[in-house]
Amino acid sequence: MSIRPFRDIKRRKTKEINVGKVKVGGNNPISVQSMTNTLTTDVKATIKQINAIQNEGADIVRVSCPDKDSTVALKEIVKHVSIPIVADIHFHYRRAIEAAENGAKCLRINPGNIGDETKVHEVLRAAKNNNCSVRIGVNAGSLERDILEKFKEPCPEALVESALRNIRILEDQDFFNFKISVKSSDVFLSIAAYRQLSKVCDYPLHLGITEAGSFVSGSIKSSIGLGSLLMDGIGDTIRISLSDDPTKEIKIGNEILKSLNLRNRGVKIISCPSCARQAFQVIDT
């Protein structure tokens, strides 16, 4: 009788997309990403932080593009970094178009926040023309009004309905180079939404517990939420959202993957917590 190894996680098979040189989904390694917290218009500071995040072991970095000055700055930033940049777009469709034209390799958008579908179509046209992927970023805190009225509150079904609606918008324009997230700051809501979504679509999933908190509490919430999903084989790229130095997000993300034998970066250290029986200074060592 053959016994399946107890440490073998069978990953859900998803479509493969490109975020610049990084392939997400399919049989590719689960990628780890973070987001800068510098002003994007401060080009030098942003480049410095992007390089620090990459040196910590990131595969992808996201930067905020809330205004035209930020998308203009993006054009200079991408000249000095080698890691794919995701442009974070919240409301204005023109910012997404400018970001695609100025070197972003992925656009994080919530199509429901962009406006009418003609504006979304323009964004997708710019993404296609510039070989730029998209992340559909559904968030419990910014669901479409009609969906929120239907379900009365953010719930897994509401997040999944929003995701499927936005998927159809992209598919109707023959755009398939995208991944999806259904984030919440609530661990249980996030887990349930991702599990439901994974059953009804095969696009790559970006995992995250949004606004997770400070280093300690945020790391714990993210480890529980993402760890549960990853153990189910769900997830193709991850981001740990901490109110802290972005490089710490990469450390925690890589440690989560390492602990599940999903990806190994760096040395695995096994050490006792130290006690009166220690024969040397365990903590100092």
mmCIF file of all heavy atoms in Angstrom, residues 123-148:
data_model
loop_
_atom_site.group_PDB
_atom_site.id
_atom_site.type_symbol
_atom_site.label_atom_id
_atom_site.label_comp_id
_atom_site.label_asym_id
_atom_site.label_seq_id
_atom_site.Cartn_x
_atom_site.Cartn_y
_atom_site.Cartn_z
ATOM 1 N N VAL A 123 -8.254 50.602 -20.270
ATOM 2 C CA VAL A 123 -7.152 50.115 -19.429
ATOM 3 C C VAL A 123 -6.625 48.789 -19.979
ATOM 4 O O VAL A 123 -5.408 48.586 -20.103
ATOM 5 C CB VAL A 123 -7.613 49.941 -17.968
ATOM 6 C CG1 VAL A 123 -6.537 49.228 -17.151
ATOM 7 C CG2 VAL A 123 -7.933 51.292 -17.337
ATOM 8 N N LEU A 124 -7.532 47.895 -20.333
ATOM 9 C CA LEU A 124 -7.123 46.586 -20.846
ATOM 10 C C LEU A 124 -6.400 46.720 -22.182
ATOM 11 O O LEU A 124 -5.453 45.981 -22.459
ATOM 12 C CB LEU A 124 -8.346 45.675 -20.994
ATOM 13 C CG LEU A 124 -9.079 45.334 -19.696
ATOM 14 C CD1 LEU A 124 -10.295 44.463 -19.986
ATOM 15 C CD2 LEU A 124 -8.147 44.634 -18.709
ATOM 16 N N ARG A 125 -6.835 47.677 -23.007
ATOM 17 C CA ARG A 125 -6.164 47.912 -24.289
ATOM 18 C C ARG A 125 -4.718 48.363 -24.054
ATOM 19 O O ARG A 125 -3.786 47.901 -24.719
ATOM 20 C CB ARG A 125 -6.939 48.956 -25.091
ATOM 21 C CG ARG A 125 -6.504 49.095 -26.536
ATOM 22 C CD ARG A 125 -7.595 49.646 -27.436
ATOM 23 N NE ARG A 125 -8.281 50.796 -26.858
ATOM 24 C CZ ARG A 125 -9.567 50.783 -26.496
ATOM 25 N NH1 ARG A 125 -10.287 49.686 -26.645
ATOM 26 N NH2 ARG A 125 -10.137 51.869 -25.994
ATOM 27 N N ALA A 126 -4.532 49.257 -23.076
ATOM 28 C CA ALA A 126 -3.178 49.718 -22.751
ATOM 29 C C ALA A 126 -2.335 48.576 -22.199
ATOM 30 O O ALA A 126 -1.144 48.465 -22.500
ATOM 31 C CB ALA A 126 -3.251 50.862 -21.736
ATOM 32 N N ALA A 127 -2.958 47.719 -21.378
ATOM 33 C CA ALA A 127 -2.230 46.576 -20.815
ATOM 34 C C ALA A 127 -1.784 45.627 -21.922
ATOM 35 O O ALA A 127 -0.637 45.156 -21.940
ATOM 36 C CB ALA A 127 -3.108 45.848 -19.796
ATOM 37 N N LYS A 128 -2.678 45.348 -22.859
ATOM 38 C CA LYS A 128 -2.330 44.474 -23.980
ATOM 39 C C LYS A 128 -1.191 45.060 -24.810
ATOM 40 O O LYS A 128 -0.236 44.370 -25.168
ATOM 41 C CB LYS A 128 -3.549 44.269 -24.888
ATOM 42 C CG LYS A 128 -4.520 43.207 -24.433
ATOM 43 C CD LYS A 128 -5.614 43.047 -25.489
ATOM 44 C CE LYS A 128 -6.632 42.014 -25.077
ATOM 45 N NZ LYS A 128 -7.706 41.859 -26.092
ATOM 46 N N ASN A 129 -1.293 46.340 -25.116
ATOM 47 C CA ASN A 129 -0.302 46.993 -25.975
ATOM 48 C C ASN A 129 1.079 47.063 -25.338
ATOM 49 O O ASN A 129 2.085 47.236 -26.034
ATOM 50 C CB ASN A 129 -0.771 48.408 -26.333
ATOM 51 C CG ASN A 129 -1.976 48.398 -27.258
ATOM 52 O OD1 ASN A 129 -2.253 47.399 -27.917
ATOM 53 N ND2 ASN A 129 -2.714 49.503 -27.296
ATOM 54 N N ASN A 130 1.128 46.970 -24.020
ATOM 55 C CA ASN A 130 2.402 47.094 -23.308
ATOM 56 C C ASN A 130 2.810 45.817 -22.577
ATOM 57 O O ASN A 130 3.669 45.855 -21.691
ATOM 58 C CB ASN A 130 2.317 48.271 -22.320
ATOM 59 C CG ASN A 130 2.198 49.612 -23.009
ATOM 60 O OD1 ASN A 130 3.180 50.181 -23.461
ATOM 61 N ND2 ASN A 130 0.965 50.127 -23.118
ATOM 62 N N ASN A 131 2.192 44.689 -22.970
ATOM 63 C CA ASN A 131 2.529 43.390 -22.387
ATOM 64 C C ASN A 131 2.475 43.448 -20.853
ATOM 65 O O ASN A 131 3.395 43.036 -20.153
ATOM 66 C CB ASN A 131 3.914 42.926 -22.847
ATOM 67 C CG ASN A 131 4.144 41.456 -22.541
ATOM 68 O OD1 ASN A 131 3.191 40.675 -22.439
ATOM 69 N ND2 ASN A 131 5.402 41.075 -22.372
ATOM 70 N N CYS A 132 1.391 43.996 -20.364
ATOM 71 C CA CYS A 132 1.215 44.241 -18.932
ATOM 72 C C CYS A 132 0.076 43.366 -18.417
ATOM 73 O O CYS A 132 -0.998 43.327 -19.012
ATOM 74 C CB CYS A 132 0.892 45.724 -18.735
ATOM 75 S SG CYS A 132 0.887 46.281 -17.045
ATOM 76 N N SER A 133 0.301 42.660 -17.331
ATOM 77 C CA SER A 133 -0.757 41.837 -16.748
ATOM 78 C C SER A 133 -1.611 42.680 -15.808
ATOM 79 O O SER A 133 -1.339 43.858 -15.576
ATOM 80 C CB SER A 133 -0.158 40.639 -16.004
ATOM 81 O OG SER A 133 0.698 41.074 -14.960
ATOM 82 N N VAL A 134 -2.645 42.063 -15.260
ATOM 83 C CA VAL A 134 -3.580 42.754 -14.367
ATOM 84 C C VAL A 134 -3.829 41.888 -13.136
ATOM 85 O O VAL A 134 -3.850 40.661 -13.224
ATOM 86 C CB VAL A 134 -4.921 43.035 -15.093
ATOM 87 C CG1 VAL A 134 -6.024 43.421 -14.116
ATOM 88 C CG2 VAL A 134 -4.737 44.127 -16.148
ATOM 89 N N ARG A 135 -3.989 42.544 -11.986
ATOM 90 C CA ARG A 135 -4.526 41.843 -10.815
ATOM 91 C C ARG A 135 -5.877 42.433 -10.487
ATOM 92 O O ARG A 135 -5.987 43.626 -10.227
ATOM 93 C CB ARG A 135 -3.616 41.942 -9.583
ATOM 94 C CG ARG A 135 -4.361 41.410 -8.319
ATOM 95 C CD ARG A 135 -3.430 40.993 -7.226
ATOM 96 N NE ARG A 135 -2.764 42.060 -6.544
ATOM 97 C CZ ARG A 135 -3.218 42.645 -5.411
ATOM 98 N NH1 ARG A 135 -4.386 42.284 -4.892
ATOM 99 N NH2 ARG A 135 -2.515 43.589 -4.831
ATOM 100 N N ILE A 136 -6.892 41.597 -10.512
ATOM 101 C CA ILE A 136 -8.212 42.006 -10.038
ATOM 102 C C ILE A 136 -8.151 41.989 -8.519
ATOM 103 O O ILE A 136 -8.035 40.928 -7.906
ATOM 104 C CB ILE A 136 -9.305 41.049 -10.542
ATOM 105 C CG1 ILE A 136 -9.400 41.084 -12.070
ATOM 106 C CG2 ILE A 136 -10.641 41.394 -9.911
ATOM 107 C CD1 ILE A 136 -10.348 40.051 -12.650
ATOM 108 N N GLY A 137 -8.215 43.167 -7.918
ATOM 109 C CA GLY A 137 -8.056 43.270 -6.473
ATOM 110 C C GLY A 137 -9.370 43.513 -5.771
ATOM 111 O O GLY A 137 -9.746 44.663 -5.506
ATOM 112 N N VAL A 138 -10.097 42.440 -5.459
ATOM 113 C CA VAL A 138 -11.351 42.574 -4.727
ATOM 114 C C VAL A 138 -11.027 42.703 -3.235
ATOM 115 O O VAL A 138 -10.199 41.958 -2.704
ATOM 116 C CB VAL A 138 -12.263 41.356 -4.964
ATOM 117 C CG1 VAL A 138 -13.535 41.453 -4.121
ATOM 118 C CG2 VAL A 138 -12.610 41.243 -6.447
ATOM 119 N N ASN A 139 -11.686 43.656 -2.584
ATOM 120 C CA ASN A 139 -11.411 43.918 -1.168
ATOM 121 C C ASN A 139 -12.730 44.044 -0.416
ATOM 122 O O ASN A 139 -13.660 44.693 -0.899
ATOM 123 C CB ASN A 139 -10.593 45.210 -1.035
ATOM 124 C CG ASN A 139 -9.972 45.368 0.331
ATOM 125 O OD1 ASN A 139 -10.658 45.395 1.342
ATOM 126 N ND2 ASN A 139 -8.649 45.482 0.364
ATOM 127 N N ALA A 140 -12.789 43.437 0.769
ATOM 128 C CA ALA A 140 -14.019 43.479 1.567
ATOM 129 C C ALA A 140 -14.433 44.903 1.905
ATOM 130 O O ALA A 140 -15.614 45.181 2.114
ATOM 131 C CB ALA A 140 -13.832 42.675 2.857
ATOM 132 N N GLY A 141 -13.462 45.809 1.932
ATOM 133 C CA GLY A 141 -13.759 47.187 2.286
ATOM 134 C C GLY A 141 -14.200 48.059 1.130
ATOM 135 O O GLY A 141 -14.550 49.225 1.338
ATOM 136 N N SER A 142 -14.189 47.524 -0.098
ATOM 137 C CA SER A 142 -14.559 48.351 -1.256
ATOM 138 C C SER A 142 -15.357 47.556 -2.284
ATOM 139 O O SER A 142 -15.084 47.607 -3.479
ATOM 140 C CB SER A 142 -13.300 48.943 -1.907
ATOM 141 O OG SER A 142 -12.421 47.905 -2.320
ATOM 142 N N LEU A 143 -16.341 46.820 -1.800
ATOM 143 C CA LEU A 143 -17.198 46.059 -2.704
ATOM 144 C C LEU A 143 -18.141 46.989 -3.462
ATOM 145 O O LEU A 143 -18.491 48.076 -2.979
ATOM 146 C CB LEU A 143 -18.026 45.042 -1.915
ATOM 147 C CG LEU A 143 -17.272 43.827 -1.375
ATOM 148 C CD1 LEU A 143 -18.130 43.078 -0.365
ATOM 149 C CD2 LEU A 143 -16.851 42.902 -2.514
ATOM 150 N N GLU A 144 -18.576 46.546 -4.633
ATOM 151 C CA GLU A 144 -19.528 47.316 -5.406
ATOM 152 C C GLU A 144 -20.816 47.508 -4.593
ATOM 153 O O GLU A 144 -21.228 46.615 -3.848
ATOM 154 C CB GLU A 144 -19.849 46.622 -6.732
ATOM 155 C CG GLU A 144 -18.669 46.519 -7.678
ATOM 156 C CD GLU A 144 -17.909 45.212 -7.544
ATOM 157 O OE1 GLU A 144 -17.783 44.723 -6.402
ATOM 158 O OE2 GLU A 144 -17.443 44.693 -8.569
ATOM 159 N N ARG A 145 -21.456 48.651 -4.774
ATOM 160 C CA ARG A 145 -22.610 48.999 -3.947
ATOM 161 C C ARG A 145 -23.738 47.991 -4.079
ATOM 162 O O ARG A 145 -24.355 47.587 -3.076
ATOM 163 C CB ARG A 145 -23.115 50.386 -4.319
ATOM 164 C CG ARG A 145 -24.294 50.858 -3.473
ATOM 165 C CD ARG A 145 -24.678 52.295 -3.801
ATOM 166 N NE ARG A 145 -23.593 53.202 -3.475
ATOM 167 C CZ ARG A 145 -23.628 54.520 -3.725
ATOM 168 N NH1 ARG A 145 -24.691 55.036 -4.328
ATOM 169 N NH2 ARG A 145 -22.610 55.285 -3.401
ATOM 170 N N ASP A 146 -24.033 47.555 -5.313
ATOM 171 C CA ASP A 146 -25.166 46.633 -5.480
ATOM 172 C C ASP A 146 -24.900 45.282 -4.845
ATOM 173 O O ASP A 146 -25.810 44.634 -4.308
ATOM 174 C CB ASP A 146 -25.510 46.480 -6.972
ATOM 175 C CG ASP A 146 -24.387 45.837 -7.770
ATOM 176 O OD1 ASP A 146 -23.222 46.235 -7.589
ATOM 177 O OD2 ASP A 146 -24.665 44.932 -8.574
ATOM 178 N N ILE A 147 -23.634 44.850 -4.883
ATOM 179 C CA ILE A 147 -23.288 43.574 -4.248
ATOM 180 C C ILE A 147 -23.392 43.695 -2.734
ATOM 181 O O ILE A 147 -23.901 42.788 -2.053
ATOM 182 C CB ILE A 147 -21.875 43.125 -4.670
ATOM 183 C CG1 ILE A 147 -21.878 42.708 -6.148
ATOM 184 C CG2 ILE A 147 -21.376 41.975 -3.795
ATOM 185 C CD1 ILE A 147 -20.529 42.286 -6.692
ATOM 186 N N LEU A 148 -22.949 44.809 -2.200
ATOM 187 C CA LEU A 148 -23.034 45.030 -0.763
ATOM 188 C C LEU A 148 -24.501 45.110 -0.320
ATOM 189 O O LEU A 148 -24.868 44.578 0.744
ATOM 190 C CB LEU A 148 -22.300 46.317 -0.390
ATOM 191 C CG LEU A 148 -21.843 46.467 1.067
ATOM 192 C CD1 LEU A 148 -21.036 45.271 1.530
ATOM 193 C CD2 LEU A 148 -21.034 47.738 1.236
#
